[in-house]
Amino acid sequence: MKGTNVRVFCGIGWAEKHHDVALVDDTGKMLAKARVSDDVTGYRKLLDLLAEHGDTEAEPIPVAIETSRGLLVSVLRAGKRQVFAINPLAASRYRDRHGVSRKKSDPGDALVLANILRTDLHMHRPLPTDSELARAVAVLARAQQDAVWNRQTVANQLRSLLREYYPAALDAFVTGRKGGLAHPEARAILAVAPTPARAAKMTKTQITAALKRGGRQRRTEAETIRLREVFRAEYAHQPPLEPPLAEEAMGRQMLALLRQLDAAAEGVDDLAEAVEPSFQQHPDADVITSFPGLGSLLGARVLAEIGDDRSRFADARALKAYAGSAPITRASGKKRYVGRRFVKNDRLVHAGYLWVFAAIDASPGAGAHYRRRSEHGDWHAAAQRNLFNRMLGRLYHCLQTGQPFNEQRAFTPFLEAAPA
């Protein structure tokens, strides 16, 4: 066991079935290296190796690894140990400092990671110490967001197929219709009318029954008439052969995609139902949902990405940089460029786009801010990003102080300048 006056750093080259471990001291001397399996036995071997070199609950050895998730990371984060998730791109840049041959190996990567902490620990942030409830909200919110993206992917595949043989379905459910092909009514109709020929033969009773299965309760008669007219209108078709083999084959393909869309839509709804009660139990929920444009579901996505570790971001600028809303400056000699960030948290960016899109209508101050930025030459995306940047600054302040959002204090200059 090493003396307490020696600082030890650990690097782990992560892989699927095994992990390479390297320990170095504060002079860069290799103290130990090992390969552990990705199971309970391997984790125990790793913890024993750390303990042999001075790892204690009071003074745990910091660990660098190229991932922030998984059972190995969960084991390492137990207690007060700092775990640093090093971006693989950053690790590859450090690798060039140790040799120019461009050789690469898992044991070598572990050594590089350990030396990153030895030389530049202050330049990297450890994984945040979020509460268990915040981590649970993050799991559910990210899963729900993935389910939404998956649903849209399947809906796009279905739309692409319908363009080839069934344009009436696109006119009925896509053009100017909220929800599109993922809407329960559209899925209910397509399930019983997978081809344009079958759709044209549907009676009013059949259409009405399908709409009710899709959940429609109001204006059913008017929607039935509209769909019947669309399905019986004149469209281009696949070659009119008897029997229409190609059209029937595409109908079978469409039904297969429709089943995938049904499953994706069900997953979205189930996860949304799980996210909201978990988020509402969190102490930060009231502050987050006090902001215009943030409801329970979108608020849960924001909480999932920023967490509840108050020390995670040094100031509001750090949060804005993490979200990609703060501009970045590149200057060299006489050249100077100020533009948007490309390295950012994409999930938080997506949530921020939806947030400010809703806030523009929900908040007079946010709407005035957006219009002023547009009048000064910002395009739509740039004006939204600037508004998101301002809202994040207010959110950071409110979370740090426990205060709800205040419209007047957040947008005083813009409200005063807005026309009466």
Side-chain angles (χ1 to χ4, degrees):
M1 181 174 178
K2 298 297 178 183
T4 56
N5 60 331
V6 177
R7 190 85 187 272
V8 180
F9 306 91
C10 176
I12 299 179
W14 178 87
E16 183 175 346
K17 296 183 178 181
H18 63 265
H19 315 294
D20 287 279
V21 183
L23 278 77
V24 300
D25 62 14
D26 47 13
T27 66
K29 179 182 177 182
M30 170 81 78
L31 299 178
K33 63 178 181 179
R35 172 168 288 186
V36 300
S37 56
D38 186 44
D39 52 26
V40 175
T41 303
Y43 302 157
R44 187 177 295 112
K45 179 180 178 181
L46 171 59
L47 294 178
D48 290 343
L49 182 64
L50 293 173
E52 290 176 9
H53 291 82
D55 182 76
T56 63
E57 185 176 354
E59 296 184 4
I61 293 175
V63 177
I65 189 171
E66 289 182 318
T67 182
S68 61
R69 301 178 183 177
L71 290 174
L72 175 60
V73 175
S74 298
V75 170
L76 291 170
R77 294 186 68 182
K80 300 179 181 179
R81 180 181 292 105
Q82 288 185 319
V83 178
F84 295 79
I86 307 298
N87 188 293
L89 181 61
S92 69
R93 298 295 185 267
Y94 276 97
R95 192 182 302 120
D96 293 338
R97 295 169 56 178
H98 296 267
V100 296
S101 63
R102 294 186 177 273
K103 66 178 181 178
K104 183 185 182 304
S105 65
D106 290 340
D109 287 349
L111 180 59
V112 168
L113 291 169
N115 278 303
I116 288 176
L117 294 187
R118 180 179 66 86
T119 59
D120 294 320
L121 184 144
H122 62 286
M123 297 292 294
H124 297 274
R125 290 185 303 183
L127 292 177
T129 56
D130 292 329
S131 66
E132 186 68 20
L133 180 56
R135 290 200 291 268
V137 171
V139 170
L140 292 172
R142 289 168 181 166
Q144 198 273 340
Q145 190 174 35
D146 288 339
V148 170
W149 290 340
N150 180 55
R151 182 185 64 184
Q152 188 59 49
T153 298
V154 179
N156 289 341
Q157 293 175 346
L158 182 59
R159 180 181 181 276
S160 179
L161 175 62
L162 292 175
R163 288 186 68 254
E164 297 185 18
Y165 83 105
Y166 201 166
L170 300 181
D171 283 350
F173 304 117
V174 177
T175 306
R177 310 298 295 182
K178 184 178 180 180
L181 296 173
H183 196 280
E185 294 178 13
R187 291 184 278 122
I189 293 289
L190 292 176
V192 295
T195 64
R198 296 191 196 181
K201 294 178 182 179
M202 291 184 72
T203 65
K204 287 186 177 181
T205 302
Q206 291 172 326
I207 296 176
T208 300
L211 288 173
K212 290 182 178 180
R213 286 196 298 272
R216 177 170 282 268
Q217 298 177 350
R218 302 174 59 187
R219 297 180 56 84
T220 305
E221 180 67 22
E223 182 66 5
T224 297
I225 295 174
R226 185 189 74 84
L227 290 175
R228 194 162 184 262
E229 291 176 352
V230 170
F231 290 148
R232 296 193 176 189
E234 185 176 354
Y235 292 93
H237 293 275
Q238 290 289 325
L241 302 177
E242 289 295 338
L245 298 179
E247 188 174 276
E248 289 293 333
M250 290 182 175
R252 292 292 296 273
Q253 181 184 1
M254 191 277 293
L255 289 175
L257 284 174
L258 189 63
R259 287 192 290 271
Q260 296 181 41
L261 184 59
D262 288 337
E266 183 179 356
V268 169
D269 295 338
D270 289 346
L271 288 168
E273 291 179 1
V275 169
E276 294 189 13
S278 297
F279 170 70
Q280 290 167 0
Q281 294 175 24
H282 197 278
D284 292 343
D286 290 339
V287 174
I288 292 175
T289 53
S290 69
F291 279 74
L294 280 183
S296 294
L297 189 56
L298 197 54
R301 293 185 185 180
V302 172
L303 175 64
E305 303 311 318
I306 66 176
D308 59 2
D309 181 1
R310 295 290 182 261
S311 63
R312 180 176 186 179
F313 303 103
D315 51 28
R317 294 177 59 188
L319 174 58
K320 294 174 181 179
Y322 176 73
S325 61
I328 189 170
T329 302
R330 297 180 178 88
S332 177
K334 297 181 179 181
K335 295 182 179 180
R336 185 172 183 271
Y337 168 77
V338 179
R340 63 188 180 92
R341 293 175 181 265
F342 291 93
V343 178
K344 55 190 181 299
N345 184 316
D346 290 332
R347 289 183 182 273
L348 186 53
V349 170
H350 185 267
Y353 174 82
L354 298 176
W355 174 11
V356 299
F357 189 82
I360 290 172
D361 292 331
S363 165
H369 181 106
Y370 171 81
R371 288 188 294 271
R372 184 173 179 181
R373 296 298 306 186
S374 299
E375 291 168 0
H376 281 72
D378 279 359
W379 288 6
H380 171 70
Q384 279 199 323
R385 188 163 54 248
N386 189 279
L387 176 58
F388 180 39
N389 194 57
R390 188 177 185 87
M391 297 292 268
L392 276 177
R394 302 309 305 172
L395 178 62
Y396 177 86
H397 171 76
C398 290
L399 289 175
Q400 291 290 335
T401 60
Q403 301 175 3
F405 175 78
N406 186 301
E407 179 84 15
Q408 296 297 324
R409 294 182 63 182
F411 294 107
T412 298
F414 302 96
L415 290 171
E416 292 177 348

